[in-house]
Amino acid sequence: MAARRFDTDILLEQLLQHEGKAFKAFYERYRGRVYRFIVRQCGNGEEGQAEYISIWANLVDSRLRCKDGKELKLAFLKSLKSPGFKPLVKTNMVITFTLMPRELEEEGGWSTLLVEMVRRLPEGLRKRFLFRYEIGLSNKAIATIFHEEASATVKYINEAERELTEGLMNAGCKMRLSLESLYRETRVLKPPASWDQEVLSGYSEWFKNGVPDHLINSETTQKAHTRMASMKAFFRNTVNQLRSDIHEKSQGTQQSTT
């Protein structure tokens, strides 16, 4: 672990020297964690993709303002914390699950259920839990990101673990595996090839000409997606209306000629 952390520190220092290969290596190391951190809060649709690309764009942009690798890594982690993710389910819903069917239990259903329960956690618990279990940060590092005492971080994570454990047990899980081991089974998802392509085909341009503002601010990107979707819906409805009008006129013409 120490050697891996040292290697990561070297990559960050190389990033500060504007080495593109270092970005690619760092991306390969963290792409899965960042992807899971995002989609387990807001899904893998347009919003999730916009947030994902924004995280990596911010890393490239932050290297221009950071004095060392430690500061750059903190900026990278804070960019994960910043978005106000819209969860896939309402966070005020009570976690009530019925007993897990045996066939689902045998097929790894408990880890699937755990992911669903993580999504239902209140945002403060959810983010800290994912920083600990997904990104792999220590309580001290998480406390630094949230500008709080380490003891407060421990309380948040303990509360998240308690809610998740109780939810699993209420659903019939015997907890033969620890919560950490159960969550580890879920760490296999990787970003879609199209998401990888967006980042890997764009980072060299970001290095050369700077990161476009709309990529740094993922909220702006999401608004652009929303506007585009609205425009498409408008044109689609307009075309359908025109087709309907033409059809009615043609029917009227046929009736008048007969």
Side-chain angles (χ1 to χ4, degrees), residues 202-251:
Y203 79 88
S204 58
E205 183 68 21
W206 303 343
F207 269 77
K208 183 179 179 181
N209 298 320
V211 180
D213 289 340
H214 74 276
L215 291 182
I216 297 174
N217 187 343
S218 60
E219 183 178 350
T220 301
T221 304
Q222 186 58 31
K223 287 180 179 178
H225 281 303
T226 302
R227 287 196 300 269
M228 182 62 69
S230 298
M231 290 175 64
K232 288 180 179 179
F234 172 78
F235 285 119
R236 183 169 57 251
N237 291 336
T238 301
V239 170
N240 290 337
Q241 184 61 50
L242 287 172
R243 286 175 176 172
S244 177
D245 292 344
I246 292 172
H247 177 72
E248 289 181 2
K249 288 181 180 180
S250 65
Q251 290 293 326

Side-chain angles (χ1 to χ4, degrees), residues 12 26 30 34 37-38 41 51-52 54-59 62 65-67 69-85 123 127-128 131 135 137 140-148 216-218:
L12 290 167
F26 188 86
Y30 281 92
V34 172
F37 186 94
I38 290 173
Q41 301 188 79
E51 295 290 357
Y52 183 80
S54 178
I55 294 300
W56 297 107
N58 270 283
L59 174 63
S62 296
R65 300 184 297 276
C66 296
K67 65 179 183 295
K70 183 178 180 179
E71 188 174 328
L72 181 57
K73 186 172 184 179
L74 182 59
F76 170 68
L77 294 172
K78 283 188 174 181
S79 70
L80 278 172
K81 176 235 176 186
S82 296
F85 290 114
E123 183 175 358
K127 282 188 175 181
R128 288 171 177 82
F131 269 122
I135 307 299
L137 300 185
K140 182 179 180 180
I142 298 171
T144 299
I145 293 171
F146 285 91
H147 303 288
E148 62 192 16
I216 297 174
N217 187 343
S218 60

